Amino acid sequence: MTGNFDHDDLLLSDAERMHALNTLGEHYAAGRLDSAEFYERSGEISSARTFSALSPSFRGLPGGVPLEQIDGHIRMIPDVSAPAVHPAASPAAPQSAEDELASLRERGSMVETLDWIIIGITLVTFLVLQIALDWSYAWIVWPSLIVTLSVPRLILKYSDDDEKVYEELKKSEAAERKKRLEEASKRIRELEGRRGPETPQS
């Protein structure tokens, strides 16, 4: 009877299982899982046969299982990423080290963006003055960068020391993310090799 069919028992394809593994790898690369958790959960996904068997492997992760069942079919969800939600801090509470780093990242990213905007505007201004208006003193816009680039830093209270720490953080986080992605990719290849091609049952 088709009416008694349980959609949670829909069988997974290799592509759907691989999509789930890749998504778990992204969560690992983002630092949401440690190595032991990633290895345990990736093993669970690799051996999962049904849609419902994936749920435990994505417990506590934003977006949940990156697949959904609709009318008896399984559909891959392309993007399950979600911004981290931070509880509102009490105004009277002192800023923690984690909050201070988050603030530094936010200010550093904003300063970087503004720097590129200012440099772009300065370049356009120079080209207009030099080429369109043929003004021989167009070069004067470049020394003005010293002043204009310092304005966002003053407004955001972003010191030279903050900038050094921010650059070190970026390098450290990029290296850590690269390492995690390499580990995740290695693990997924290992699981793929272990499964091998499925042979039809006679």
Side-chain angles (χ1 to χ4, degrees):
M1 294 286 183
T2 56
N4 296 328
F5 185 74
D6 187 350
H7 286 165
D8 283 345
D9 286 334
L10 288 173
L11 295 174
L12 297 168
S13 70
D14 287 339
E16 290 156 356
R17 199 177 291 104
M18 182 57 60
H19 177 66
L21 279 171
N22 286 329
T23 301
L24 191 76
E26 284 295 326
H27 285 306
Y28 174 57
R32 295 189 180 99
L33 301 170
D34 60 29
S35 296
E37 288 173 322
F38 173 69
Y39 271 68
E40 178 186 353
R41 296 189 188 201
S42 59
E44 292 171 354
I45 292 172
S46 177
S47 61
R49 294 280 295 150
T50 63
F51 177 82
S52 60
L54 291 177
S55 295
S57 302
F58 288 91
R59 62 189 178 277
L61 295 175
V65 178
L67 301 164
E68 62 181 352
Q69 68 87 10
I70 301 175
D71 296 331
H73 298 280
I74 296 176
R75 186 181 76 87
M76 290 184 274
I77 301 173
D79 183 14
V80 297
S81 61
V85 179
H86 300 283
S90 169
Q95 190 178 40
S96 68
E98 186 178 350
D99 290 338
E100 189 174 346
L101 280 176
S103 172
L104 178 60
R105 287 189 187 95
E106 184 178 354
R107 286 182 291 127
S109 177
M110 191 173 297
V111 166
E112 264 189 336
T113 302
L114 290 172
D115 281 352
W116 283 110
I117 292 172
I118 290 169
I119 291 170
I121 291 172
T122 303
L123 176 60
V124 170
T125 302
F126 171 76
L127 292 174
V128 169
L129 293 175
Q130 178 76 28
I131 298 172
L133 301 180
D134 196 24
W135 189 41
S136 57
Y137 293 98
W139 57 267
I140 204 169
V141 300
W142 294 114
S144 70
L145 273 177
I146 299 173
V147 176
T148 51
L149 289 175
S150 67
V151 172
R153 287 161 170 77
L154 289 172
I155 294 173
L156 296 170
K157 297 179 181 178
Y158 188 69
S159 66
D160 290 343
D161 287 340
D162 288 338
E163 188 162 11
K164 288 177 184 176
V165 173
Y166 175 68
E167 291 299 327
E168 289 173 5
L169 274 173
K170 278 206 312 179
K171 289 178 183 177
S172 174
E173 289 172 354
E176 182 63 22
R177 177 171 174 78
K178 180 182 176 183
K179 178 184 174 184
R180 287 175 177 272
L181 282 171
E182 287 173 349
E183 289 178 2
S185 178
K186 180 181 177 182
R187 173 62 170 166
I188 290 170
R189 288 197 304 270
E190 173 189 313
L191 291 169
E192 275 188 292
R194 186 182 300 172
R195 282 183 57 82
E198 293 187 358
T199 56
Q201 298 292 326
S202 56

